[in-house]
């Protein structure tokens, strides 16, 4: 059902991914556990970032750590090198995981987002610096496919980040770039980021504040040491790449990250993790 041929008519409702919370119900292998089943156990989702490798290597890596990650990101480099086949094959390999197409759209939103969702993505990314018209089209296109928009806050001002709170159905991603990490030695948790509050501080009822604000994701050199600081912002999604993919034992590294998240959350007041 997934095709990157834009000339095709739009998918019918029966072909579109339908999300409950963030999870997707797929028509394939419906007896397998759905991503929705992990939500109660993991209010903070781990998103595995896969970049600078082949599709086969990415699928193999995801397979090694799938028990401890809920979201699988087809990274920008994979999409640029291998196209939508990278998204399609990842969804085929992991039909009940949430697949993120990190396409980093800046323009031509409808075309690029349709490519992602037709290839099987559940989430697609757009840059916060894109024009409002582009962001609006991303939101509209994602809604028509039952998908989710992640807005990448890379290199935007706190004022711009604050403006984007109006996209209450989106995920806003605090992000320290790969170049900042490698060239400047920066990493999330050790660098001041735009202050985005997830919780309505005037209410202790999570249901009353749900979707009052967008959800938050965090990305950029995240390690076991920086997790406690990052989790203070109550992100719904923690995006981890090299701390898992470059570890000597990726599965063990993923388990350690999951364990650290659980440990920190047990000492943290339950709050609005959303998504």
């Amino acid at each position: 059902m997934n095709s990157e041929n834009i000339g095709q008519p739009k998918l019918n409702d029966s072909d579109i991914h339908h999300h409950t919370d963030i999870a997707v119900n797929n028509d394939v292998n419906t007896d397998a556990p759905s991503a929705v089943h992990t939500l109660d156990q993991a209010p903070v989702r781990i998103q595995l970032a896969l970049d600078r490798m082949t599709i086969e290597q990415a699928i193999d890596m995801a397979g090694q750590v799938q028990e401890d990650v809920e979201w699988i990101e087809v990274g920008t480099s994979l999409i640029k090198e291998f196209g939508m086949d990278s998204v399609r094959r990842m969804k085929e390999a992991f039909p009940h995981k949430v697949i993120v197409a990190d396409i980093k759209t800046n323009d031509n939103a409808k075309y690029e987002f349709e490519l992602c969702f037709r290839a099987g993505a559940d989430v697609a990314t757009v840059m916060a610096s894109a024009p409002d018209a582009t962001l609006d089209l991303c939101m509209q296109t994602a809604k028509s496919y039952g998908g989710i928009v992640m807005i990448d806050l890379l290199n935007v001002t706190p004022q711009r980040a604050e403006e984007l709170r109006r996209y209450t159905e989106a995920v806003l991603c605090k992000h320290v770039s790969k170049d900042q990490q490698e060239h400047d030695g920066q990493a999330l948790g050790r660098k001041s980021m735009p202050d985005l509050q997830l919780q309505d501080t005037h209410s202790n009822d999570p249901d009353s504040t749900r979707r009052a604000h967008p959800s938050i994701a965090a990305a950029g050199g995240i390690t076991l040491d920086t997790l406690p600081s990052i989790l203070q912002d109550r992100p719904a999604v923690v995006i981890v790449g090299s701390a898992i993919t470059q570890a000597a034992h990726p599965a063990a590294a993923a388990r350690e990250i999951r364990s650290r998240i659980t440990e920190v959350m047990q000492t943290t007041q339950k709050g609005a993790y959303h998504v």
Side-chain angles (χ1 to χ4, degrees), residues 44-45 47 71 150-153 170-176 188 193 196 198 214-220 222 230 233-239 273 275:
V44 177
R45 269 68 96 198
Q47 176 175 318
W71 292 20
M150 183 179 287
I151 303 175
D152 191 325
L153 300 176
V171 179
L172 301 187
C173 180
K174 297 182 177 185
H175 187 191
V176 175
L188 199 63
M193 297 296 288
L196 296 169
L198 282 174
S215 301
I216 298 297
I222 293 176
I230 290 164
D233 280 342
R234 300 177 183 269
V237 183
V238 172
I239 303 171
Y273 291 86
V275 190

Side-chain angles (χ1 to χ4, degrees), residues 13 21 44 64 107 120 142 244 273:
D13 289 342
D21 207 19
V44 177
Q64 292 183 51
D107 193 13
I244 293 175
Y273 291 86

Side-chain angles (χ1 to χ4, degrees), residues 74-203:
V74 181
T76 312
S77 65
L78 278 173
I79 292 175
K80 285 185 174 181
E81 187 168 1
F82 303 107
M84 286 299 111
D85 194 41
S86 59
V87 178
R88 183 177 301 104
R89 288 181 58 187
M90 192 64 70
K91 190 62 179 182
E92 288 172 352
F94 304 99
H96 294 295
K97 293 294 185 181
V98 174
I99 303 301
V100 181
D102 190 19
I103 197 167
K104 289 185 170 68
T105 289
N106 267 300
D107 193 13
N108 208 10
K110 185 173 183 294
Y111 181 91
E112 292 191 359
F113 264 43
E114 285 193 340
L115 281 175
C116 293
F117 291 124
R118 285 177 171 170
D122 305 296
V123 183
T125 65
V126 59
M127 300 308 294
S129 56
D132 286 353
T134 298
L135 293 169
D136 290 344
L137 282 168
C138 286
M139 296 299 296
Q140 293 168 19
T141 306
K143 184 176 181 179
S144 71
Y145 282 86
I148 296 292
V149 177
M150 183 179 287
I151 303 175
D152 191 325
L153 300 176
L154 184 65
N155 206 37
V156 298
T157 64
Q159 291 76 18
R160 177 58 172 167
E162 189 68 20
E163 290 173 5
L164 299 178
R165 286 164 58 95
R166 68 181 182 272
Y167 294 108
T168 58
E169 297 298 317
V171 179
L172 301 187
C173 180
K174 297 182 177 185
H175 187 191
V176 175
S177 75
K178 190 70 174 175
D179 289 341
Q180 288 173 301
Q181 294 172 51
E182 294 180 348
H183 187 267
D184 298 334
Q186 297 177 3
L188 199 63
R190 295 198 295 267
K191 178 180 183 295
S192 176
M193 297 296 288
D195 184 18
L196 296 169
Q197 295 296 322
L198 282 174
Q199 218 173 0
D200 182 345
T201 55
H202 299 292
S203 173

Side-chain angles (χ1 to χ4, degrees), residues 204-243:
N204 292 321
D205 178 7
D207 290 335
S208 70
T209 62
R210 187 171 177 78
R211 288 305 183 196
H213 306 299
S215 301
I216 298 297
I222 293 176
T223 65
L224 285 170
D225 292 336
T226 59
L227 266 175
S229 173
I230 290 164
L231 291 172
Q232 290 178 9
D233 280 342
R234 300 177 183 269
V237 183
V238 172
I239 303 171
V240 185
S242 59

